[in-house]
Amino acid sequence: MNTKPSLFEKKAAPLIAFLLMCLLCTLPVFAQSSENDFSEGFSEKFDGSFESEPAPASQSLQWKGQISTALRGYLDFSQLESSELQHHPVIGLDLSQENDNSETLLALNFDRRLIDEISGTVQDSTPRNISWYLQRIIDQAYIRLYYDRFNIQAGYLKEVWGTGDQAHVLDFLNPTDYYDFVNNNYLDRKTAELMLKLNIPTGARGLLEMAYAPTFTPDNYPVTGRWTPKEMAELTTLTGGSLPNLPEMNRLGDGQYALRLSAGLGSWDLAASYYFGFLRSPTVEFSPVPAITYDRLHAFGLDFMSVLAGFNLRGEAAYYLTEDFDGLDLFPHNNHSLRYLFGFDRDIGISSINFNGQIIGTYFLNEDTDPFETMLTVALTDRLKNDRIKPEISLAYSIEQSDFMLRPKLVFQLVDDVEIELLYTMFHGDEQGYFGQYRG
């Protein structure tokens, strides 16, 4: 794969992108009165509105934004003074406008990832085209039109389907970006996809959603750097020691189609979904030279949410029917499979402590050696001093590989829009394991 950046990519593109974000963030700031000036801190959120001339409230341009920076230390306990430090600044800006029959959203995001990838510090697995650059800066950008019996969305969308907490088996529509994925929440890891979506309410609690994406964007994996997964090394080995060019899935036949029907039945929220597209993880075909491809996928799913005896229950189940029905693919995760998620959370009655537990699993139907992949996650959270102090401890444990990620976290809200977050992440397990590979 040709990942060598051009002179423009190395020097001009990062500067232009940074100046554009600074300009967009500066304009609304100067449009506010001194009451909306920034406060200093590690992380800051702000919002307001501005308009060029008097207009009805429903037509005013609203904006909100976020400025944050993270200082991360990758600790080497044998030589603590040699531990690597990195800073990760983020600038975000959301512009939105609501009218009587429409709404528009433009959400922009600029962080270290763009500089790392363009400069070549970190290389990824996605072909660099116009969509690649747009998806690195645009978090979401769409217009929604309201009609009497339905509404339509068009643009770069993030649509999360399913009822899981920070994990899903039914979330088909958006690819995942695994750059720095350990340190981002679920929605931030997702990349907006260009799509058209039709929403039709069906009763008081029902909704029919139909989505079409004209092209396909695979999951994006770093092929260099700290968070490169072992699957990329396996892929490189199978293709002869270097990663070949990945196909650009931008033909008419590469489109994706999905629908979801949800309804309410008493205390239960139920939904059924279908997706026709591709598996977002790559595979290798030899014809006769090795080439990276993506398997076609039919996915059928059900999900639910309810409250029972004080427990908030949620669950998802899906059948993934792939081209590799006979289980001959070199990568077992491309075999057809059954996938499931079940979770619950409950306040335990002490302080504001909430316990959250979830199990996510896959059973590969034509895999005899290791047909199961199971992940257990638990979390304890609390809120103190009128929600100004938020302690949390979470654990993700891979049952088959016996490795885990443990993360204590503490958030201090200094003032309404400024907070400091302290956390420590520990990986444990074999270096070939899901979590153990990142312990170095």
Side-chain angles (χ1 to χ4, degrees):
M1 181 174 63
N2 181 17
T3 57
K4 184 177 180 180
S6 66
L7 182 61
F8 171 79
E9 290 177 322
K10 285 184 177 179
K11 297 184 177 181
L15 179 60
I16 293 173
F18 179 76
L19 291 176
L20 175 62
M21 289 299 301
C22 288
L23 176 62
L24 289 172
C25 289
T26 302
L27 287 176
V29 172
F30 286 120
Q32 303 302 306
S33 67
S34 59
E35 295 179 353
N36 288 327
D37 287 346
F38 293 130
S39 299
E40 294 181 356
F42 287 90
S43 177
E44 182 171 2
K45 298 179 181 179
F46 51 94
D47 59 79
S49 64
F50 65 97
E51 49 201 70
S52 58
E53 59 184 25
S58 62
Q59 296 182 359
S60 63
L61 182 62
Q62 304 293 320
W63 66 275
K64 63 180 180 179
Q66 177 178 349
I67 298 174
S68 66
T69 186
L71 179 63
R72 298 178 189 158
Y74 300 94
L75 301 182
D76 181 356
F77 289 102
S78 63
Q79 292 181 310
L80 198 59
E81 68 279 2
S82 301
S83 300
E84 179 186 0
L85 296 178
Q86 289 185 358
H87 60 90
H88 289 257
V90 177
I91 300 175
L93 176 65
D94 294 358
L95 303 174
S96 62
Q97 184 171 9
E98 295 186 7
N99 295 316
D100 292 339
N101 298 311
S102 66
E103 68 175 359
T104 306
L105 172 67
L106 173 61
L108 302 174
N109 190 70
F110 183 84
D111 58 21
R112 177 173 175 151
R113 176 190 62 176
L114 185 63
I115 296 177
D116 283 348
E117 292 181 340
I118 291 179
S119 65
T121 304
V122 173
Q123 298 176 0
D124 60 40
S125 61
T126 307
R128 295 188 180 182
N129 49 30
I130 293 177
S131 295
W132 186 92
Y133 286 98
L134 291 176
Q135 289 174 326
R136 291 303 179 276
I137 299 176
I138 297 177
D139 189 52
Q140 290 194 82
Y142 65 83
I143 184 171
R144 187 198 297 257
L145 304 177
Y146 292 95
Y147 297 91
D148 291 340
R149 299 180 182 273
F150 62 89
N151 64 79
I152 298 175
Q153 292 174 271
Y156 283 92
L157 303 177
K158 287 185 179 181
E159 288 292 329
V160 178
W161 287 1
T163 56
D165 183 12
Q166 295 291 310
H168 298 277
V169 300
L170 300 177
D171 192 14
F172 310 118
L173 291 172
N174 294 100
T176 300
D177 189 345
Y178 286 93
Y179 171 90
D180 200 34
F181 75 101
V182 172
N183 298 297
N184 293 321
N185 65 37
Y186 183 84
L187 193 59
D188 289 338
R189 295 194 296 267
K190 287 294 181 177
T191 301
E193 188 84 297
L194 181 65
M195 71 178 75
L196 177 68
K197 186 166 179 282
L198 175 64
N199 307 296
I200 306 175
T202 57
R205 295 168 57 189
L207 181 65
L208 174 63
E209 303 170 78
M210 294 182 285
Y212 167 65
T215 58
F216 171 78
T217 304
D219 285 344
N220 183 48
Y221 298 91
V223 297
T224 61
R226 180 179 297 275
W227 304 116
T228 302
K230 58 184 176 61
E231 289 81 6
M232 284 294 100
E234 295 173 0
L235 198 65
T236 302
T237 300
L238 285 172
T239 54
S242 63
L243 197 64
N245 291 326
L246 274 68
E248 293 193 37
M249 309 290 285
N250 55 7
R251 301 169 301 172
L252 184 62
D254 295 332
Q256 306 168 76
Y257 307 84
L259 61 87
R260 183 173 189 263
L261 178 62
S262 58
L265 182 62
S267 63
W268 295 82
D269 292 325
L270 308 171
S273 55
Y274 168 74
Y275 169 80
F276 175 66
F278 297 88
L279 275 177
R280 297 192 185 271
S281 55
T283 187
V284 178
E285 289 186 355
F286 296 88
S287 55
V289 297
I292 293 179
T293 63
Y294 297 92
D295 285 345
R296 268 293 182 185
L297 172 67
H298 293 269
F300 309 84
L302 300 170
D303 65 87
F304 73 88
M305 179 181 292
S306 185
V307 179
L308 183 63
F311 289 86
N312 300 308
L313 306 177
R314 56 188 179 272
E316 303 177 16
Y319 171 52
Y320 281 38
L321 174 60
T322 70
E323 291 178 304
D324 186 35
F325 190 83
D326 296 324
L328 302 177
D329 199 295
L330 294 173
F331 292 90
H333 60 245
N334 287 48
N335 297 348
H336 69 133
S337 60
L338 297 174
R339 309 190 181 203
Y340 63 90
L341 177 151
F342 177 75
F344 69 92
D345 68 88
R346 178 185 172 89
D347 294 334
I348 66 174
I350 302 174
S351 183
S352 297
I353 298 177
N354 178 270
F355 178 82
N356 189 320
Q358 194 164 257
I359 187 168
I360 309 102
T362 302
Y363 174 65
F364 298 103
L365 295 172
N366 283 324
E367 177 63 24
D368 297 328
T369 305
D370 296 305
F372 292 98
E373 287 184 359
T374 314
M375 187 80 66
L376 176 67
T377 64
V378 294
L380 278 174
T381 60
D382 198 2
R383 296 173 179 271
L384 307 170
K385 300 294 184 181
N386 296 320
D387 292 348
R388 291 193 174 275
I389 301 176
K390 303 172 187 176
E392 176 182 331
I393 184 168
S394 59
L395 171 72
Y397 179 73
S398 175
I399 293 178
E400 285 75 26
Q401 301 187 42
S402 299
D403 61 353
F404 65 83
M405 177 182 72
L406 178 66
R407 172 174 289 171
K409 182 170 71 171
L410 189 59
V411 178
F412 298 92
Q413 186 173 352
L414 302 182
V415 294
D416 289 344
D417 296 327
V418 181
E419 64 183 27
I420 295 177
E421 180 180 284
L422 305 174
L423 63 87
Y424 173 73
T425 304
M426 182 178 73
F427 299 97
H428 177 80
D430 185 84
E431 62 181 13
Q432 295 300 314
Y434 184 82
F435 294 115
Q437 63 180 314
Y438 300 118
R439 69 179 185 179

